[in-house]
Amino acid sequence: QVQLVESGGGLVQAGGSLRLNCAASGRTFSSYYMGWFRQAPGKEREFVATIIRSGGSTYYADSVKGRFTISRDNAKNTVYLQMNSLKPEDTAVYYCAANQGYSSRLVRDYDYWGQGTQVTVSS
């Protein structure tokens, strides 16, 4: 019912920056809580960041706090993840997700998922 398409991934050296974006279909984008998650090979999908519907409040995993920033532009139906000071352990496929109910850190609480974009950080 809502399509999410991530972009902006790539290969970057440790200490570098990338900005991911997630474009959502539909005109009801502002009604969704949005989140970013990531999954490294052989690992479980983990929470990265989430943002409320208005964009006024954000929440982050401890591992990325102070380095990553989630934001949204409801007029453009887009959510962003600015990633600075990247580390090799940030290497993963990054997914955006939409939640109709409430802000959450849990994978199971999200209703819609994008296809993912690969982020690789070299040392």
Side-chain angles (χ1 to χ4, degrees):
Q1 292 197 309
V2 60
Q3 294 183 355
L4 305 173
V5 180
E6 303 96 334
S7 62
L11 192 153
V12 65
Q13 291 185 333
S17 298
L18 286 173
R19 188 181 75 166
L20 307 183
N21 64 83
C22 175
S25 65
R27 64 181 182 271
T28 61
F29 174 74
S30 62
S31 70
Y32 292 96
Y33 298 90
M34 299 297 297
W36 285 97
F37 295 78
R38 66 187 183 186
Q39 187 167 19
K43 303 291 185 180
E44 298 296 317
R45 192 167 299 185
E46 66 175 355
F47 168 76
V48 175
T50 188
I51 189 166
I52 65 170
R53 290 176 289 185
S54 68
S57 295
T58 57
Y59 306 91
Y60 299 92
D62 288 343
S63 59
V64 307
K65 192 173 298 182
R67 299 188 297 120
F68 291 10
T69 302
I70 186 171
S71 61
R72 67 192 296 164
D73 186 340
N74 288 342
K76 296 182 177 180
N77 282 10
T78 304
V79 62
Y80 305 93
L81 185 69
Q82 178 66 47
M83 305 185 294
N84 299 325
S85 301
L86 283 161
K87 305 174 181 179
E89 51 262 47
D90 295 319
T91 295
V93 176
Y94 282 71
Y95 299 89
C96 69
N99 180 343
Q100 293 181 299
Y102 50 88
S103 181
S104 176
R105 298 169 179 258
L106 302 178
V107 168
R108 65 174 177 264
D109 287 336
Y110 283 78
D111 304 299
Y112 305 101
W113 294 84
Q115 84 289 350
T117 186
Q118 177 71 48
V119 172
T120 302
V121 184
S122 62
S123 60

